[in-house]
Amino acid sequence: TPADVAVVEGVMGLHDGAVGRGAYASTAHVARLIDAPVLLVLDTTAQGRSAAALVLGMRAFDLAVRIGGVILNRVGSARHETLLRDALAEVEVPVLGAVTRAVEVTAPSRHLGLVPVAERAPESVAVVAALADLVESTVDLDAVLDLARTAPPLTVPAWDPAGAVGGPAGTARPVVAVAGGPAFTFSYAETTELLTAAGADVVTVDPLRDPALPAAPGPWWSAVVSPRCTPRRSPPTPGSAPTWPVSTARSSPSAPGCSTSARPSTGCRCAGGSTTPPG
């Protein structure tokens, strides 16, 4: 669907990409490929003129990356903002906004990440509304839109999941269960799109609430992210619904020691290649 602005999501900082592959897959890499301008959001906590040195280093690190402006974040006071703007004027980088510190836009954290939105929906909606008001009052949105319009039109074909995986490999359509529900709100739409394009039927199952997997005529595979792998109680049989053990442990996409995997539902594969036999 056409949009007024497309935001390119990267990993961590501007130049952080695939480990051991330089700038590959970083925000800077994508910005170069599509010739998009970069709007730096700079955490100015405990910084004064050093902020200008940081921006200058970002600009000089890769001259092919167009840094079009800066949004100052977590600005402590009007005096702090003036100090930052004066410093950035010295390196001729425009400031398009100065977002002040506000407790209304903070989100609580817990082990391995943020509390899922579904667990605190009213509070999350309030935070988004407060953030919208804060950005509207502190950022020059017209200038942001003008900067975005400096990106040239894209001339390459749109990404197609079927093209990425080459289409179904055979006639059989395996059923893939993807963990969902309040504790499994972190996911990428491309995961389901790629599995479907590869010829799988994808269903969403809540491991904490659903007592069993839905019945399926073919083999079941599960794509689950969990800090503690739990084996299936019994192997599935054609046309039956293998039981899904309910665990009270919360799951996180960034849990150390485990990784996302697609595996037969009769076992459990953790990071490192070990397989737990059916229990």
Side-chain angles (χ1 to χ4, degrees), residues 22-167:
Y24 183 79
S26 66
T27 303
H29 179 206
V30 178
R32 288 201 313 268
L33 291 176
I34 62 177
D35 193 21
V38 171
L39 179 58
L40 285 176
V41 179
L42 190 65
D43 185 354
T44 63
T45 304
Q47 285 195 81
R49 296 187 74 247
S50 296
L54 177 60
V55 173
L56 187 61
M58 286 285 189
R59 188 171 63 182
F61 190 77
D62 187 342
L63 297 178
V65 175
R66 294 193 294 128
I67 296 181
V70 172
I71 291 179
L72 307 174
N73 193 24
R74 298 183 182 179
V75 177
S77 63
R79 182 174 180 276
H80 187 203
E81 179 181 346
T82 299
L83 176 63
L84 293 166
R85 286 182 179 275
D86 290 345
L88 287 163
E90 294 183 37
V91 295
E92 300 181 342
V93 174
V95 176
L96 304 189
V99 181
T100 54
R101 301 171 193 170
V103 295
E104 296 83 6
V105 298
T106 58
S109 62
R110 69 175 188 184
H111 182 55
L112 294 177
L114 298 177
V115 176
V117 173
E119 293 186 9
R120 51 187 307 274
E123 297 89 343
S124 299
V125 171
V127 166
V128 171
L131 183 59
D133 292 338
L134 180 61
V135 170
E136 186 177 15
S137 62
T138 58
V139 176
D140 186 347
L141 296 179
D142 289 334
V144 172
L145 290 173
D146 289 341
L147 178 62
R149 294 187 184 103
T150 65
L154 296 178
T155 58
V156 296
W159 180 78
D160 176 60
V165 297

Side-chain angles (χ1 to χ4, degrees), residues 198-215:
D201 290 328
V202 181
V203 296
T204 301
V205 179
D206 186 345
L208 302 183
R209 297 183 180 181
D210 296 336
L213 293 172

